[in-house]
Amino acid sequence: MGSLLAERDMLWDAFTTTLTLAAISGLIALVVGTIVAGMRVSPYVPLRTLATVYTEFLRNTPLTIVFFFYVFVTPSMGFTFDYKVAAIIALSCYTSAFVAEAVRSGINSVSLGQAEAARSLGMSFFQNLTIVVLPQAFRTAIPPLINVFIALVKNTSVAGAFSVFELFAMSRRMTNVYSGDVLGILAGVALCYLIVCIPLGQVAGHLERKVAFAR
Amino acid sequence: MTQTTSGPAAAGGATAPPLVSLRGVQKHFGDLHVLQDIELDVSPGEVVVVLGPSGSGKSTLCRTINRLETIDEGEIRIDGEVLPTSGPGLARLRAEVGMVFQSFNLFAHKTVLENVTVAPIKVKKESKKDAEARATALLERVGVANQAHKLPAQLSGGQQQRVAIARSLAMRPKVMLFDEPTSALDPEMINEVIEVMTGLAQEGMTMIVVTHEMGFARRTADRVVFMDAGRILEVRTPEEFFSAPETERAQDFLSKILAH
Ligand SMILES: Nc1ncnc2c1ncn2[C@@H]1O[C@H](COP(=O)(O)OP(=O)(O)OP(=O)(O)O)[C@@H](O)[C@H]1O
Ligand SMILES: [Mg+2]
């Protein structure tokens, strides 16, 4: 691990890149995924179909292929992104499908009577969803959502194969240069991921307790 | 107050135009013909109690009136307006029809006060201040004002149901539907809810009430609607219905209920 300390500027650079990728993609995925989940339970069939196709397609496609699409295919169609931007788009799309599933299962856990009461008070579908159903759905969705975000943090390593200099790309470069310290480098990089993921789990537990409410 | 006393042809002797009117309503759940040729008019200020054995379609009838269930055929009018199938028109009419559920269905993540104010604020665009003032008055009236800042789960069943009634009233509905409002309650809490409902009836609220509380039906109903197997078999005054039910099904039903 000494080699990592020697190159700590580079390590810091890579670590913040990983963090940035995860944070921005996570935020976008949360928003997009929630919208998609809402579409999936909407009374409008075309929206429902669109959302189902979106989720099933992305959820069942390897992340590398999604990356490949945004890094190599879209430029050939005339949309060129910076590698980091392409990575964020790929990670957001992919993760949003899992967010949508987690939120949808949360929605399904809210008793039908809640939505019926909202409807009988004259709320629109959108009001019903945003005021009554989603706030309750998120409470149940927190544990699965945290799992999705932990997976996202680890999935950022795929960006390393697509010209983004994050932790995984750095570890590859480092192991080439410091071939005597492979184990130390890998352990150090793994530690970096742990530093991000373990608190996420902690936050999950904290949030769960904080928003827990008696039913 | 108008009272239509006899005959399933509910238009009967009503003078004021009906507030709720069901015409030739048919409803199926798959093969089950759960509502058959339903004809019912409810005049302003009238209290109609719906009785019938389990599975006869009482809840479904209630739920079609604010379109929580769709109907296959026929027409439902609220205050003369045909109930639309969807969209803002439906939401607006729903807001005029209060509904109280057997399982209360208070919004679990909102306080008692918020439960009562949320629809007036979001649907009717009332100011928060006005909505809260009115909610407090309503909670006072149903006797749970001191619980305003608790979550529903912290209240007893009877208190929750009274909050649910206040929540509906906050929308100033033209008619209130009650689907077995006391069936989920412990016996000692039934009366507090029945009292609130009786008070509402006395103030002239138009009500359609599905209940097994025969005392309430006798005392408060203007008419009793007896349903069996998806049909309305009798529409009578409570005196007539309880003393001399016409159909065998109703006699049978009453003998079972009163045997308890
Ligand atoms: N969503 C549904 N899908 C299929 N069948 C249904 C549905 N809802 C109700 N039913 C059936 O329709 C019939 C009438 O049901 P409904 O709930 O209206 O009866 P009810 O008179 O309210 O009975 P109870 O006194 O038990 O509440 C029953 O046979 C019931 O099983
Ligand atoms: Mg019922």
Side-chain angles (χ1 to χ4, degrees), chain B residues 139-200:
Chain B
L139 290 173
E140 200 99 40
R141 167 180 174 173
V142 299
V144 283
N146 54 345
Q147 315 284 328
H149 298 288
K150 290 190 180 165
L151 286 173
Q154 296 170 283
L155 270 57
S156 75
Q159 291 173 324
Q160 288 191 52
Q161 193 61 297
R162 286 182 280 150
V163 174
I165 293 173
R167 176 176 70 173
S168 282
L169 290 176
M171 293 299 281
R172 303 175 199 270
K174 292 179 177 161
V175 51
M176 291 275 288
L177 311 173
F178 294 83
D179 187 6
E180 302 204 23
T182 56
S183 297
L185 298 179
D186 293 336
E188 74 270 19
M189 293 172 184
I190 291 177
N191 271 341
E192 61 198 45
V193 172
I194 290 290
E195 267 166 36
V196 170
M197 291 169 61
T198 307
L200 268 181

Coordinates of all heavy atoms in Angstrom, one line a residue, chain B residues 139-200:
Chain B
L139 N -62.5 18.6 13.8 CA -62.0 17.6 14.7 C -62.6 17.8 16.1 O -62.9 16.9 16.8 CB -60.4 17.8 14.8 CG -59.7 17.3 13.6 CD1 -58.2 17.6 13.7 CD2 -59.9 15.8 13.4
E140 N -62.8 19.1 16.4 CA -63.5 19.4 17.6 C -64.9 18.7 17.6 O -65.3 18.1 18.6 CB -63.7 20.9 17.7 CG -64.0 21.5 19.0 CD -62.7 22.1 19.6 OE1 -61.9 22.7 18.9 OE2 -62.6 21.9 20.8
R141 N -65.6 18.9 16.5 CA -66.9 18.4 16.4 C -67.0 16.9 16.6 O -67.9 16.4 17.2 CB -67.5 18.8 15.1 CG -68.7 18.1 14.7 CD -69.2 18.6 13.4 NE -70.3 17.8 13.0 CZ -71.0 18.0 11.9 NH1 -70.7 19.0 11.1 NH2 -72.0 17.2 11.6
V142 N -66.0 16.2 16.0 CA -66.1 14.7 16.1 C -65.3 14.3 17.4 O -65.1 13.1 17.6 CB -65.5 14.0 14.9 CG1 -66.3 14.3 13.7 CG2 -64.0 14.3 14.7
G143 N -64.8 15.2 18.2 CA -64.3 14.9 19.5 C -62.9 14.4 19.5 O -62.5 13.7 20.4
V144 N -62.0 14.8 18.5 CA -60.7 14.3 18.6 C -59.7 15.5 18.4 O -58.5 15.3 18.0 CB -60.4 13.2 17.5 CG1 -60.9 11.9 17.9 CG2 -60.9 13.6 16.1
A145 N -60.1 16.7 18.7 CA -59.3 17.8 18.5 C -57.9 17.7 19.3 O -56.9 18.2 18.8 CB -60.0 19.1 18.9
N146 N -58.0 17.1 20.4 CA -56.8 16.9 21.3 C -55.8 16.0 20.7 O -54.7 15.8 21.2 CB -57.2 16.6 22.7 CG -58.0 15.3 22.7 OD1 -58.6 14.9 21.7 ND2 -58.2 14.7 23.9
Q147 N -56.1 15.3 19.6 CA -55.2 14.3 19.0 C -54.6 14.9 17.7 O -54.0 14.1 17.0 CB -56.0 13.0 18.7 CG -56.9 12.5 19.7 CD -56.1 11.8 20.9 OE1 -55.1 11.3 20.6 NE2 -56.6 11.9 22.1
A148 N -54.9 16.1 17.4 CA -54.6 16.7 16.1 C -53.1 16.4 15.6 O -52.9 16.3 14.4 CB -54.9 18.2 16.1
H149 N -52.2 16.4 16.5 CA -50.8 16.3 16.1 C -50.2 14.9 16.2 O -49.0 14.7 16.0 CB -49.9 17.3 16.8 CG -50.4 18.7 16.5 ND1 -50.2 19.3 15.2 CD2 -51.2 19.6 17.2 CE1 -50.8 20.5 15.2 NE2 -51.4 20.7 16.4
K150 N -51.1 13.9 16.4 CA -50.6 12.5 16.4 C -50.8 11.9 15.1 O -51.5 12.4 14.2 CB -51.5 11.7 17.4 CG -51.2 12.1 18.9 CD -51.9 11.1 19.8 CE -51.7 11.5 21.3 NZ -52.6 10.8 22.1
L151 N -50.1 10.8 14.9 CA -50.2 10.0 13.7 C -51.4 9.0 13.9 O -51.7 8.6 15.0 CB -49.0 9.2 13.4 CG -47.8 10.0 12.9 CD1 -46.5 9.1 12.8 CD2 -48.1 10.6 11.5
P152 N -52.1 8.7 12.8 CA -53.3 7.8 12.9 C -53.0 6.6 13.7 O -53.9 6.2 14.5 CB -53.6 7.5 11.4 CG -53.0 8.6 10.6 CD -51.8 9.1 11.4
A153 N -51.9 5.9 13.6 CA -51.7 4.7 14.3 C -51.7 4.8 15.8 O -51.8 3.9 16.5 CB -50.3 4.1 13.8
Q154 N -51.5 6.1 16.3 CA -51.5 6.3 17.7 C -52.9 6.5 18.3 O -53.1 6.6 19.5 CB -50.7 7.6 18.0 CG -49.2 7.4 17.6 CD -48.5 8.7 17.7 OE1 -48.6 9.6 16.9 NE2 -47.7 8.9 18.8
L155 N -53.9 6.4 17.4 CA -55.3 6.6 17.8 C -56.0 5.3 17.9 O -55.6 4.3 17.2 CB -56.0 7.5 16.8 CG -56.0 9.0 17.1 CD1 -54.6 9.5 17.2 CD2 -56.8 9.8 16.0
S156 N -57.1 5.3 18.7 CA -57.9 4.1 18.7 C -58.7 4.0 17.4 O -58.8 5.0 16.7 CB -58.9 4.1 19.9 OG -59.9 5.1 19.6
G157 N -59.3 2.8 17.1 CA -60.1 2.7 15.9 C -61.2 3.7 15.8 O -61.5 4.3 14.8
G158 N -61.9 3.8 17.0 CA -63.1 4.8 16.9 C -62.6 6.2 16.7 O -63.3 6.9 15.9
Q159 N -61.5 6.6 17.2 CA -60.9 7.9 17.0 C -60.6 8.0 15.5 O -60.8 9.1 14.9 CB -59.7 8.2 17.9 CG -60.1 8.3 19.3 CD -58.9 8.4 20.2 OE1 -57.9 7.8 20.0 NE2 -59.0 9.2 21.3
Q160 N -59.9 7.0 15.0 CA -59.5 7.1 13.6 C -60.7 7.2 12.7 O -60.6 8.0 11.7 CB -58.7 5.8 13.2 CG -57.3 5.7 13.8 CD -56.5 4.6 13.2 OE1 -56.4 4.4 12.0 NE2 -56.0 3.7 14.0
Q161 N -61.7 6.5 13.0 CA -62.9 6.6 12.1 C -63.5 8.0 12.2 O -64.0 8.5 11.2 CB -63.9 5.5 12.4 CG -65.0 5.3 11.3 CD -64.4 4.9 10.0 OE1 -63.7 5.7 9.4 NE2 -64.8 3.7 9.5
R162 N -63.5 8.6 13.3 CA -64.1 9.9 13.5 C -63.2 10.9 12.7 O -63.7 11.8 12.1 CB -64.2 10.3 14.9 CG -65.4 9.5 15.6 CD -65.6 9.9 17.0 NE -64.7 9.2 17.9 CZ -64.2 9.7 19.0 NH1 -64.6 10.9 19.4 NH2 -63.4 9.1 19.8
V163 N -61.9 10.7 12.7 CA -61.0 11.6 11.9 C -61.3 11.4 10.4 O -61.4 12.4 9.7 CB -59.5 11.3 12.2 CG1 -58.6 12.1 11.2 CG2 -59.2 11.6 13.6
A164 N -61.6 10.1 10.1 CA -61.9 9.9 8.6 C -63.1 10.6 8.2 O -63.2 11.1 7.1 CB -62.0 8.4 8.4
I165 N -64.1 10.7 9.1 CA -65.3 11.4 8.8 C -65.0 12.9 8.7 O -65.5 13.5 7.7 CB -66.4 11.1 9.9 CG1 -66.8 9.6 9.9 CG2 -67.6 12.0 9.7 CD1 -67.8 9.2 11.0
A166 N -64.2 13.4 9.6 CA -63.9 14.8 9.5 C -63.1 15.1 8.2 O -63.3 16.1 7.6 CB -63.0 15.2 10.7
R167 N -62.2 14.2 7.8 CA -61.5 14.4 6.6 C -62.4 14.5 5.4 O -62.2 15.3 4.5 CB -60.5 13.2 6.4 CG -59.8 13.2 5.1 CD -58.8 12.1 5.0 NE -59.4 10.8 4.8 CZ -58.7 9.7 4.6 NH1 -57.4 9.7 4.5 NH2 -59.4 8.5 4.5
S168 N -63.4 13.6 5.4 CA -64.4 13.7 4.3 C -65.2 15.0 4.3 O -65.4 15.7 3.3 CB -65.4 12.6 4.3 OG -64.8 11.4 3.8
L169 N -65.6 15.4 5.6 CA -66.4 16.6 5.7 C -65.7 17.9 5.3 O -66.3 18.8 4.8 CB -66.9 16.7 7.1 CG -68.0 15.7 7.6 CD1 -68.3 15.9 9.1 CD2 -69.2 15.8 6.8
A170 N -64.4 17.8 5.4 CA -63.6 19.0 5.1 C -63.7 19.4 3.7 O -63.5 20.5 3.3 CB -62.1 18.7 5.5
M171 N -64.1 18.4 2.8 CA -64.3 18.7 1.4 C -65.7 19.3 1.1 O -66.0 19.5 0.0 CB -64.0 17.5 0.5 CG -62.6 17.0 0.5 SD -61.5 18.3 -0.1 CE -61.7 18.1 -1.9
R172 N -66.5 19.5 2.2 CA -67.8 19.9 2.0 C -68.6 19.1 1.0 O -69.1 19.7 0.0 CB -67.9 21.4 1.7 CG -67.2 22.3 2.6 CD -67.2 23.8 2.1 NE -66.1 24.5 2.8 CZ -66.3 25.2 3.9 NH1 -67.5 25.3 4.5 NH2 -65.3 25.9 4.4
P173 N -68.7 17.8 1.2 CA -69.4 17.0 0.2 C -70.9 17.2 0.2 O -71.4 17.6 1.2 CB -69.0 15.6 0.7 CG -68.9 15.7 2.2 CD -68.3 17.1 2.4
K174 N -71.5 16.9 -0.9 CA -72.9 17.0 -1.0 C -73.6 15.7 -0.5 O -74.7 15.7 0.0 CB -73.4 17.2 -2.5 CG -72.9 18.5 -3.1 CD -73.4 18.6 -4.5 CE -73.0 19.9 -5.1 NZ -73.0 19.9 -6.5
V175 N -72.8 14.6 -0.5 CA -73.4 13.4 0.0 C -72.2 12.6 0.6 O -71.1 12.7 0.1 CB -74.1 12.6 -1.2 CG1 -73.2 12.5 -2.4 CG2 -74.5 11.2 -0.7
M176 N -72.5 11.8 1.6 CA -71.5 11.0 2.2 C -71.9 9.5 2.1 O -73.0 9.1 2.3 CB -71.4 11.3 3.7 CG -70.9 12.7 4.1 SD -69.1 12.7 4.2 CE -68.8 11.8 5.7
L177 N -70.9 8.7 1.7 CA -71.0 7.3 1.6 C -70.3 6.6 2.8 O -69.2 7.0 3.1 CB -70.4 6.7 0.3 CG -70.8 7.4 -1.0 CD1 -70.0 6.9 -2.1 CD2 -72.3 7.3 -1.2
F178 N -71.0 5.7 3.4 CA -70.3 5.0 4.5 C -70.4 3.5 4.2 O -71.5 2.9 4.1 CB -71.1 5.2 5.9 CG -71.0 6.6 6.4 CD1 -71.9 7.6 5.9 CD2 -70.1 7.0 7.3 CE1 -71.8 8.9 6.4 CE2 -70.0 8.3 7.8 CZ -70.9 9.3 7.3
D179 N -69.3 2.8 4.1 CA -69.3 1.4 3.9 C -68.8 0.7 5.2 O -67.7 0.6 5.5 CB -68.3 1.0 2.7 CG -68.4 -0.4 2.4 OD1 -69.3 -1.1 2.9 OD2 -67.6 -0.9 1.5
E180 N -69.8 0.2 5.9 CA -69.6 -0.5 7.2 C -68.6 0.2 8.1 O -67.6 -0.3 8.4 CB -69.1 -1.9 6.9 CG -70.1 -2.7 6.1 CD -70.0 -4.2 6.2 OE1 -69.5 -4.6 7.3 OE2 -70.4 -4.9 5.4
P181 N -68.9 1.5 8.4 CA -68.0 2.3 9.2 C -67.6 1.8 10.5 O -66.6 2.2 11.1 CB -68.7 3.7 9.2 CG -70.1 3.4 9.1 CD -70.2 2.2 8.2
T182 N -68.5 0.9 11.1 CA -68.2 0.5 12.5 C -67.8 -1.0 12.5 O -67.5 -1.5 13.6 CB -69.4 0.7 13.4 OG1 -70.5 0.0 12.8 CG2 -69.8 2.1 13.5
S183 N -67.7 -1.7 11.4 CA -67.5 -3.1 11.4 C -66.1 -3.5 11.9 O -65.8 -4.6 12.3 CB -67.7 -3.7 10.0 OG -69.0 -3.5 9.7
A184 N -65.1 -2.6 11.7 CA -63.7 -2.9 12.2 C -63.5 -2.5 13.6 O -62.3 -2.6 14.1 CB -62.7 -2.3 11.2
L185 N -64.5 -2.0 14.3 CA -64.3 -1.4 15.6 C -64.6 -2.3 16.7 O -65.5 -3.2 16.6 CB -65.2 -0.2 15.7 CG -64.9 1.0 14.7 CD1 -65.9 2.1 15.0 CD2 -63.5 1.5 14.9
D186 N -63.9 -2.2 17.8 CA -64.3 -2.9 19.0 C -65.6 -2.4 19.5 O -66.0 -1.2 19.3 CB -63.3 -2.6 20.1 CG -61.9 -3.2 19.8 OD1 -61.9 -4.2 19.0 OD2 -60.9 -2.7 20.3
P187 N -66.5 -3.2 20.1 CA -67.8 -2.9 20.4 C -67.9 -1.6 21.2 O -68.8 -0.8 20.9 CB -68.3 -4.1 21.2 CG -67.4 -5.2 20.9 CD -66.1 -4.6 20.4
E188 N -67.0 -1.3 22.1 CA -67.2 -0.1 22.9 C -66.9 1.1 22.1 O -67.1 2.2 22.7 CB -66.3 -0.2 24.2 CG -64.8 0.0 24.0 CD -64.1 -1.3 23.6 OE1 -64.8 -2.3 23.2 OE2 -62.9 -1.4 23.8
M189 N -66.4 1.0 20.9 CA -66.1 2.2 20.1 C -67.2 2.5 19.1 O -67.1 3.5 18.4 CB -64.8 2.1 19.5 CG -63.7 2.1 20.4 SD -62.1 1.7 19.6 CE -61.1 1.6 21.1
I190 N -68.1 1.6 18.9 CA -69.1 1.7 17.9 C -69.9 3.0 18.1 O -70.2 3.7 17.2 CB -69.9 0.4 17.7 CG1 -69.1 -0.7 17.2 CG2 -71.1 0.7 16.8 CD1 -69.7 -2.0 17.1
N191 N -70.4 3.1 19.3 CA -71.3 4.2 19.6 C -70.8 5.6 19.3 O -71.5 6.4 18.8 CB -71.8 4.1 21.0 CG -73.0 3.3 21.1 OD1 -73.7 3.0 20.1 ND2 -73.3 2.8 22.3
E192 N -69.5 5.8 19.6 CA -68.9 7.1 19.4 C -69.0 7.5 17.9 O -69.2 8.7 17.5 CB -67.5 7.3 19.9 CG -66.5 6.3 19.3 CD -65.2 6.1 20.1 OE1 -65.4 6.0 21.4 OE2 -64.2 6.2 19.5
V193 N -68.8 6.5 17.0 CA -68.9 6.8 15.6 C -70.4 6.9 15.1 O -70.7 7.8 14.4 CB -68.2 5.6 14.8 CG1 -68.4 5.8 13.3 CG2 -66.7 5.6 15.1
I194 N -71.2 6.1 15.7 CA -72.7 6.1 15.3 C -73.2 7.5 15.8 O -74.0 8.1 15.0 CB -73.4 5.0 16.0 CG1 -73.1 3.7 15.4 CG2 -74.9 5.2 16.0 CD1 -73.6 3.4 14.0
E195 N -72.8 8.0 16.9 CA -73.2 9.3 17.4 C -72.9 10.4 16.4 O -73.7 11.3 16.1 CB -72.6 9.6 18.7 CG -73.5 9.2 19.9 CD -72.7 9.2 21.2 OE1 -71.9 10.2 21.4 OE2 -73.0 8.4 22.1
V196 N -71.6 10.4 15.9 CA -71.2 11.4 14.9 C -72.1 11.3 13.7 O -72.6 12.3 13.1 CB -69.7 11.2 14.6 CG1 -69.4 12.1 13.4 CG2 -68.9 11.5 15.8
M197 N -72.4 10.1 13.2 CA -73.2 9.9 12.0 C -74.6 10.4 12.2 O -75.2 11.0 11.4 CB -73.1 8.4 11.6 CG -71.8 8.0 11.1 SD -71.6 6.2 10.9 CE -72.9 5.9 9.7
T198 N -75.1 10.1 13.4 CA -76.5 10.5 13.7 C -76.6 12.0 13.7 O -77.5 12.6 13.1 CB -76.9 9.9 15.1 OG1 -76.7 8.5 15.1 CG2 -78.4 10.2 15.3
G199 N -75.6 12.6 14.3 CA -75.5 14.1 14.3 C -75.5 14.7 12.9 O -76.2 15.6 12.6
L200 N -74.7 14.1 12.0 CA -74.7 14.5 10.6 C -76.0 14.4 10.0 O -76.4 15.3 9.2 CB -73.7 13.6 9.9 CG -72.2 14.0 9.7 CD1 -71.5 12.9 8.9 CD2 -72.1 15.3 9.1

